[in-house]
Amino acid sequence: RVWDFEQLSLLFTLAVPSPINQLTLHPSSSLLASTADDLKVRVFDLTTRKLVRNFEGHTNRITDLCISGDGRWVMTGSADCTVRVYDVPSSRLIDWIKFDKAVTGLDMSPSGDFVCT
């Protein structure tokens, strides 16, 4: 659901077939990225109110996600001990990193120069 915070009113609802467990908004665009119990990452354009990308690949609960400063990448961390980097324009997985333990949180610097887990 997308709310008007000042008016305390519901603007619209985005259809997601599985319970959402993470959301992040890109600060300077209309992109909203979400993760859900079905292990999918969905990217919506809030201006058009449409699903623009759907990413898969994790094999266990997605624990965190972020969007790069330029809005090009969505990065996810998971209990499957991986970080995955998805390229929004091409709709492709462009990189992944395997860790010894579950990734419980992550964030990317605004310039994309470094990532923290």
Side-chain angles (χ1 to χ4, degrees):
R1 295 180 183 156
V2 179
W3 300 87
D4 180 321
F5 190 66
E6 289 182 5
Q7 300 297 318
L8 302 176
S9 61
L10 179 66
L11 295 174
F12 56 91
T13 302
L14 299 167
V16 178
S18 185
I20 292 173
N21 52 42
Q22 296 282 332
L23 292 169
T24 190
L25 286 165
H26 186 265
S28 61
S29 74
S30 60
L31 292 181
L32 168 73
S34 70
T35 65
D37 286 349
D38 61 4
L39 307 181
K40 293 183 181 180
V41 179
R42 293 174 177 86
V43 180
F44 295 92
D45 182 326
L46 294 180
T47 301
T48 63
R49 301 181 184 183
K50 294 187 186 261
L51 176 69
V52 294
R53 293 291 181 261
N54 192 22
F55 299 112
E56 299 181 34
H58 284 293
T59 58
N60 202 335
R61 184 175 59 88
I62 301 169
T63 56
D64 205 359
L65 82 159
C66 63
I67 302 174
S68 64
D70 61 5
R72 184 174 182 92
W73 298 340
V74 172
M75 183 176 293
T76 57
S78 172
D80 67 9
C81 304
T82 66
V83 166
R84 293 177 184 266
V85 183
Y86 300 98
D87 186 69
V88 175
S90 70
S91 194
R92 296 183 185 267
L93 173 71
I94 58 168
D95 206 356
W96 68 275
I97 306 163
K98 179 79 172 167
F99 292 91
D100 293 332
K101 296 182 179 179
V103 179
T104 56
L106 63 84
D107 207 356
M108 184 183 314
S109 66
S111 63
D113 290 338
F114 61 90
V115 175
C116 298
T117 61

